[in-house]
Amino acid sequence: MAVSQNKLVQWIDHRLPVFTYLDHELHEYPTPKNLNYWWNFGSLAGAMLMIMIATGIFLAMQYDPNAGDAFQSVERIMREVNYGWLIRYIHMNGASFFFIVVYIHLFRGLYYGSYKAPRELLWMLGVVIILLMMATAFMGYVLPWGQMSFWGATVITNLFSAIPGVGKAIVTWLWGGFAVGNPTLNRFFALHYLLPFVILGVVILHILALHQHGSNNPLGIDRKGPQDSVPFHPYYTYKDMFGLSVFLIVFAIVVFYFPNLLAEPQNYIPANPMQTPPEIVPDWYLLPFYAILRSIPNKLLGVCALFGAIGILFIVPWLDTSKVRSAYFRPVYKWVFWLLVIDAFVLGDVGAHRPEGWWIVIGRLGTFYYFFHFIVLMPVIGWFERPLPLPPSIAEAVLKKHGGGALADAAATRAKP
Amino acid sequence: MADSAHSHTAGAHAPAGSRRDFLVIAGNALLGVGAACTVWPLITSMNPARDVLAAGAPIDVDLSSLQPGQQVLVIWRSRPIFIVHRTPAELTKLQASADTSLLRDPNSEVLQQPPYATNWHRSIKPDYLVLVGICTHLGCIPEFTPQPGGSLGPAWPGGYFCPCHGSRYDLSGRVFQGVPAPYNLPVPPHHFLNDTTVRIGENPPNSTFDFDSIAQI
Amino acid sequence: MKPRLVIPALLAGAVAAVAMLAQPAQPARAQAEEATPALPSVSWSFEGPFGTFDRAALQRGFQIYTQVCSTCHSMNLLTYDDLAGPEGLGYTEEQVKAIAAQKQVPDIDKSGKPIQRPARPSDHFAAPFPNTAAAAASLGKAPPDLSDIIKARAGGPRYVYGILTGFRESPKGFAMPPTGGNYNLYFPGHVIAMPQPLQDNSVQYADGTKATLQQEAHDVVTFLTWASDPNMEQRKRTGAKVVLFLLAMTGVLYGAKRRVWSDVEH
């Protein structure tokens, strides 16, 4: 079946079926019709990736990755380049909003069991994306070469010295010198420019994996027929555009009115290798992992806990033993899920404070709970929980919500005099 | 009512009237405007930044040590600027028709100079010539060869010789026929603050000339 | 997720986020060891979504910087050009040329020798010392560059205002360190290397305003805030247009979405 009557379109499509592919993905690809707004966050993440790449490329045109000039080159962008302040603030705050969106997207997946078969690989690709995002964000933060850029780089690269034997050699190799310096900055710039395109590639794989079996939905039950779904276009294209517009309002308010709300004032001081700042903290989106790292009093085990905290996400599809996907039908897990959310916020707060006093205790409890949730609670609750009965189909569930459906019709007929 | 989804398989949806189409069209239009407004700051960020524009501000050159027959080279807006102190003999030669008949554009009809330099000496004061030293062929810097004759042949009146492809200009920067360069050398905006100081990059008071309007830098 | 859980979930998230974000605004984050009092609250013309810079205050603040602060503090990221025009301090090109010409900046002459020459508008602000090492050698500690000082300190304008007005006699029982210093209420640790820079009538204002310490501090902080963020007014103006446009577009897209979905049970 021809995609279009246009001869040019047909000529191209016969040789490279982009138009057939797009037509299928937009008009035929079935999407569950009951997706709620938590399903907007995937497309928001894609939008943020595009925004970050676009602003990043134009910043890279003006930025100088030499340690003697980097700070000044960023200030030059802010003060001298046409709309440089806007591009910089969008990129700076865009990183934060990218993580907000991706974290919500991740928690959505945890709540609705989107990681369960046959979507395990889809989930794992997502964890790879988050790992790449963290590496990209960490290196990006070093580029302005402020105090926190330099000292954050020093602390995090020093982590690798915990590796027995080769640790010190690896750190020297990362630095390209005796300490974080110009060679480090230059390679971080090269990698920071590269990784977003690697992320783009993994995102494409992520979407391909998604389209193999289609989206999950709030009920967690499979589509059974065309009555359960709608074509992606125009239903979800318009819903996604509306969601993007709402999101952009919040983003715009931060960029234009509170551009330094999430920023660390110390990073507006040029890097000084001879003066350590009173506190060394990464940007907020890395704080929970920072808290986990610091809560273990042993250097090597702390590093293992840090990477383990991300690594454990890979095996979530096998840690969760529930027969049912969506927490909507899981009376116990639906509350336990929120404990993890609270734990994430608590760990974030711990990461922002100096490790002293009560913060140490809370940090250790929070770290313990994090691993306990995944390693113990997820499998155990799955085994012992009695899930609520699942509806027969998505369409049935939607009808019931609106007071229709076979059972309700029968009841209404009986009720008539 | 349960099977309203069946009609959606091929993307055809029940026409719901002009209000829905209006919203859809309006939504798309606003998205287009939004996209254009988002792209604009990115594109314009590539234009010269404020500090680059400021570095292109006019420069003042002291001519008190420039002897007749000599040329000095200064940089304005990253371009070489020739300032020549011409001798009376050179000025006489410039008006000789034997030489001007060999020129492509002897009366400077093509816009390569400000209105106040549209004359036979292509400057404000005949004694001093100010040129942008970029060959109008492919951009090399022509060599200052004011001596008549020599290796350029007995008919050579003196002027500029471009070593890249052999273009020639006279001592007013006017291009000869039969060479690859199409236009006279450009004259930048300039004026004299006093007898010994010329300001390059600024028109005389009460004179406007946009240097970007010339045919070929 | 059930609709009735969405609102509580969002509120919980929002409360937690606000609780976390509210903390860095207080100086306590940077001063865990020494409890400093809450920063003085001052009203600024540039606060809020419609805030602008008071140009008279900017010019008075610049006068204070020039006459007092610039003996020790550089402002390397600003050029004299920045002072001109409505986005600057409101000076004309001629005034800026005159301001610049009063200062000497390093350059090299035709034979490559280092010289000092009068500044041009395109030059960066003349610095009191050629580099931080020279400043530290001369003063004991290198005074920070002030171009970004408002962004570089938690508390921003209120912090710098506090420092300028917070010099006191050290209280009984407080041991000043042997290396010397000056007692300041708001500086972390209370001992600041800088001696009190401003007092009542440290300068004679060109526009005749009474030069109390509070006025001077207010004016110079306004100037420093502009210096840290010269594009603020353009940013807020553009922000208003962008947010209004997005609100309108969101409304239209919501209607479009509702229309598109009107024929599907969902």
Side-chain angles (χ1 to χ4, degrees):
Chain A
M1 187 177 80
V3 174
S4 148
Q5 303 293 15
N6 185 302
K7 290 278 185 236
L8 178 62
V9 168
Q10 285 176 2
W11 187 93
I12 296 174
D13 203 60
H14 181 61
R15 290 153 178 74
L16 180 67
V18 275
F19 294 100
T20 306
Y21 183 73
L22 274 175
D23 186 63
H24 168 79
E25 295 303 309
L26 285 177
H27 293 113
E28 292 163 19
Y29 171 68
T31 322
K33 64 182 185 183
N34 62 332
L35 299 184
N36 59 32
Y37 279 98
W38 297 110
W39 260 260
N40 276 54
F41 286 86
S43 68
L44 288 181
M48 281 317 301
L49 179 62
M50 294 303 130
I51 291 173
M52 293 303 283
I53 288 179
T55 51
I57 289 174
F58 283 89
L59 286 174
M61 292 185 188
Q62 312 272 1
Y63 170 73
D64 180 5
N66 185 286
D69 197 40
F71 184 90
Q72 189 274 127
S73 78
V74 173
E75 282 295 314
R76 182 181 166 269
I77 290 170
M78 299 287 292
R79 293 162 186 276
E80 308 288 343
V81 172
N82 301 322
Y83 287 103
W85 56 269
L86 178 60
I87 302 174
R88 197 268 174 118
Y89 277 147
I90 290 177
H91 197 76
M92 187 168 122
N93 289 292
S96 286
F97 275 75
F98 197 4
F99 274 96
I100 291 175
V101 157
V102 164
Y103 281 150
I104 292 177
H105 185 69
L106 183 159
F107 277 104
R108 184 282 311 259
L110 284 176
Y111 188 85
Y112 291 105
S114 304
Y115 50 81
K116 294 176 87 61
R119 297 183 180 91
E120 302 95 321
L121 202 54
L122 171 66
W123 169 265
M124 285 161 57
L125 287 168
V127 181
V128 169
I129 293 173
I130 284 197
L131 254 180
L132 289 171
M133 278 174 63
M134 289 183 189
T136 309
F138 161 67
M139 289 190 292
Y141 193 69
V142 177
L143 301 182
W145 210 240
Q147 274 286 68
M148 213 48 90
S149 306
F150 178 88
W151 289 99
T154 303
V155 166
I156 297 302
T157 47
N158 261 320
L159 286 181
F160 291 91
S161 64
I163 301 172
V166 292
K168 280 224 166 62
I170 290 181
V171 174
T172 307
W173 174 77
L174 281 175
W175 285 343
F178 301 108
V180 168
N182 195 43
T184 328
L185 178 61
N186 274 294
R187 64 192 57 180
F188 278 8
F189 179 56
L191 293 173
H192 182 73
Y193 203 114
L194 167 71
L195 282 187
F197 296 99
V198 176
I199 291 176
L200 189 58
V202 182
V203 165
I204 290 172
L205 291 177
H206 188 71
I207 296 176
L208 285 173
L210 171 70
H211 280 214
Q212 205 42 34
H213 295 283
S215 293
N216 189 18
N217 66 83
L219 299 173
I221 56 183
D222 289 331
R223 280 174 294 111
K224 302 217 165 49
Q227 71 281 6
D228 286 342
S229 63
V230 289
F232 192 82
H233 177 72
Y235 295 91
Y236 287 105
T237 41
Y238 277 88
K239 192 172 183 193
D240 278 348
M241 287 195 290
F242 165 64
L244 176 64
S245 200
V246 173
F247 170 79
L248 287 177
I249 293 174
V250 181
F251 186 48
I253 289 174
V254 170
V255 163
F256 287 99
Y257 294 104
F258 305 99
N260 290 302
L261 176 69
L262 301 164
E264 166 59 58
Q266 283 278 331
N267 226 30
Y268 280 106
I269 303 172
N272 184 349
M274 295 299 121
Q275 184 182 44
T276 313
E279 288 175 50
I280 302 177
V281 273
D283 256 350
W284 69 267
Y285 38 80
L286 299 178
L287 287 177
F289 301 100
Y290 196 55
I292 291 174
L293 167 76
R294 293 195 298 187
S295 64
I296 314 244
N298 176 293
K299 188 173 178 185
L300 178 58
L301 290 179
V303 174
C304 291
L306 169 67
F307 288 108
I310 307 162
I312 198 126
L313 292 173
F314 277 105
I315 57 173
V316 159
W318 294 276
L319 288 171
D320 179 17
T321 54
S322 166
K323 300 263 184 308
V324 146
R325 285 198 190 107
S326 169
Y328 191 76
F329 297 101
R330 301 180 59 184
V332 177
Y333 184 70
K334 79 178 343 163
W335 298 107
V336 173
F337 166 84
W338 291 105
L339 291 179
L340 181 69
V341 174
I342 293 169
D343 186 51
F345 277 103
V346 167
L347 282 172
D349 213 8
V350 169
H353 286 87
R354 297 176 88 138
E356 53 195 17
W358 274 109
W359 291 109
I360 303 182
V361 178
I362 299 172
R364 290 190 181 153
L365 285 173
T367 303
F368 173 77
Y369 179 77
Y370 182 88
F371 288 102
F372 182 73
H373 180 98
F374 286 106
I375 300 174
V376 176
L377 290 182
M378 267 190 143
V380 167
I381 293 177
W383 282 324
F384 293 110
E385 193 178 38
R386 266 203 353 157
L388 300 174
L390 298 174
S393 75
I394 293 176
E396 277 287 332
V398 166
L399 285 172
K400 254 184 101 184
K401 192 170 84 172
H402 292 288
L407 293 172
D409 277 348
T413 318
R414 280 199 299 276
K416 277 203 192 125
Chain B
M1 287 299 125
D3 52 1
S4 55
H6 283 305
S7 60
H8 297 289
T9 41
H13 15 276
S18 61
R19 187 141 158 249
R20 159 200 177 144
D21 292 329
F22 164 73
L23 282 168
V24 164
I25 292 172
N28 285 333
L30 286 174
L31 278 167
V33 168
C37 290
T38 308
V39 164
W40 169 246
L42 293 173
I43 304 294
T44 194
S45 76
M46 290 173 66
N47 270 328
R50 283 185 344 151
D51 58 345
V52 171
L53 289 173
I59 58 167
D60 297 341
V61 184
D62 176 28
L63 302 171
S64 50
S65 52
L66 186 64
Q67 301 301 323
Q70 272 190 338
Q71 169 177 282
V72 70
L73 186 146
V74 297
I75 311 256
W76 173 70
R77 295 206 169 162
S78 311
R79 298 194 172 113
I81 308 292
F82 300 152
I83 309 175
V84 187
H85 189 170
R86 290 181 284 207
T87 64
E90 288 166 345
L91 288 171
T92 318
K93 255 185 137 336
L94 280 172
Q95 299 173 76
S97 62
D99 296 320
T100 56
S101 60
L102 299 172
L103 300 172
R104 221 193 270 279
D105 182 17
N107 297 316
S108 296
E109 281 158 26
V110 176
L111 188 63
Q112 284 286 91
Q113 59 285 314
Y116 47 85
T118 308
N119 45 49
W120 61 267
H121 50 94
R122 299 186 80 232
S123 60
I124 298 172
K125 294 188 194 194
D127 294 0
Y128 290 101
L129 172 69
V130 183
L131 292 174
V132 177
I134 297 180
C135 183
T136 55
H137 178 224
L138 289 174
C140 297
I141 303 179
E143 287 168 356
F144 182 54
T145 39
Q147 294 298 334
S151 58
L152 289 169
W156 174 243
Y160 292 93
F161 174 72
C162 185
C164 291
H165 308 102
S167 294
R168 302 169 186 210
Y169 308 81
D170 70 1
L171 271 174
S172 282
R174 295 177 293 190
V175 66
F176 282 91
Q177 297 169 21
V179 301
Y183 305 114
N184 298 338
L185 289 174
V187 176
H190 67 284
H191 70 107
F192 288 85
L193 299 177
N194 53 51
D195 281 341
T196 53
T197 316
V198 65
R199 172 167 289 174
I200 317 278
E202 192 175 80
N203 291 311
N206 305 322
S207 174
T208 57
F209 171 65
D210 179 9
F211 189 55
D212 289 329
S213 63
I214 63 166
Q216 173 75 60
I217 185 75
Chain C
M1 179 152 78
K2 272 221 173 83
R4 62 184 169 85
L5 287 177
V6 171
I7 309 290
L10 281 173
L11 280 175
V15 166
V18 167
M20 266 174 59
L21 288 171
Q23 302 210 21
Q26 288 143 24
R29 184 154 174 248
Q31 296 129 325
E33 340 74 58
E34 291 285 342
T36 47
L39 291 174
S41 88
V42 186
S43 73
W44 308 100
S45 68
F46 48 80
E47 273 173 324
F50 305 106
T52 53
F53 290 116
D54 174 0
R55 297 242 126 48
L58 285 179
Q59 294 195 3
R60 290 194 299 267
F62 176 61
Q63 184 186 346
I64 295 180
Y65 168 73
T66 309
Q67 289 177 3
V68 181
C69 321
S70 64
T71 29
C72 301
H73 287 280
S74 58
M75 282 186 91
N76 292 328
L77 297 174
L78 278 101
T79 59
Y80 293 101
D81 263 336
D82 292 337
L83 301 169
E87 294 281 319
L89 269 52
Y91 290 124
T92 64
E93 302 267 352
E94 294 306 318
Q95 285 173 311
V96 161
K97 257 191 226 164
I99 291 170
Q102 283 167 17
K103 296 289 181 180
Q104 296 281 316
V105 289
D107 202 345
I108 48 171
D109 68 9
K110 281 210 191 79
S111 57
K113 247 184 25 256
I115 53 158
Q116 296 272 24
R117 58 154 178 83
R120 294 189 279 260
S122 59
D123 284 322
H124 288 264
F125 276 20
F129 300 98
N131 48 59
T132 46
S138 174
L139 299 169
K141 214 169 163 226
D145 184 278
L146 295 182
S147 316
D148 265 346
I149 197 76
I150 300 293
K151 286 194 294 200
R153 298 290 183 273
R158 288 172 64 194
Y159 174 81
V160 177
Y161 181 89
I163 295 291
L164 292 172
T165 55
F167 287 90
R168 304 281 185 271
E169 288 288 332
S170 64
K172 267 206 192 56
F174 185 91
M176 293 294 289
T179 42
N182 305 279
Y183 186 86
N184 188 291
L185 272 180
Y186 301 101
F187 189 74
H190 293 300
V191 181
I192 190 172
M194 172 174 74
Q196 181 165 354
L198 297 174
Q199 277 119 4
D200 289 336
N201 297 309
S202 289
V203 296
Q204 182 107 0
Y205 275 136
D207 67 358
T209 311
K210 194 156 179 294
T212 61
L213 171 60
Q214 283 71 21
Q215 182 69 47
E216 290 165 353
H218 173 273
D219 292 338
V220 79
V221 169
T222 304
F223 169 70
L224 290 174
T225 306
W226 168 85
S228 282
D229 196 6
N231 295 304
M232 182 204 79
E233 289 161 318
Q234 185 194 13
R235 168 166 59 82
K236 289 181 179 175
R237 276 196 312 265
T238 313
K241 292 185 212 156
V242 168
V243 171
L244 283 171
F245 173 83
L246 286 173
L247 283 168
M249 185 170 80
T250 304
V252 170
L253 286 175
Y254 181 63
K257 179 254 174 193
R258 286 284 299 259
R259 280 289 157 187
V260 165
W261 279 82
S262 58
D263 49 7
V264 169
E265 292 263 16
H266 61 278

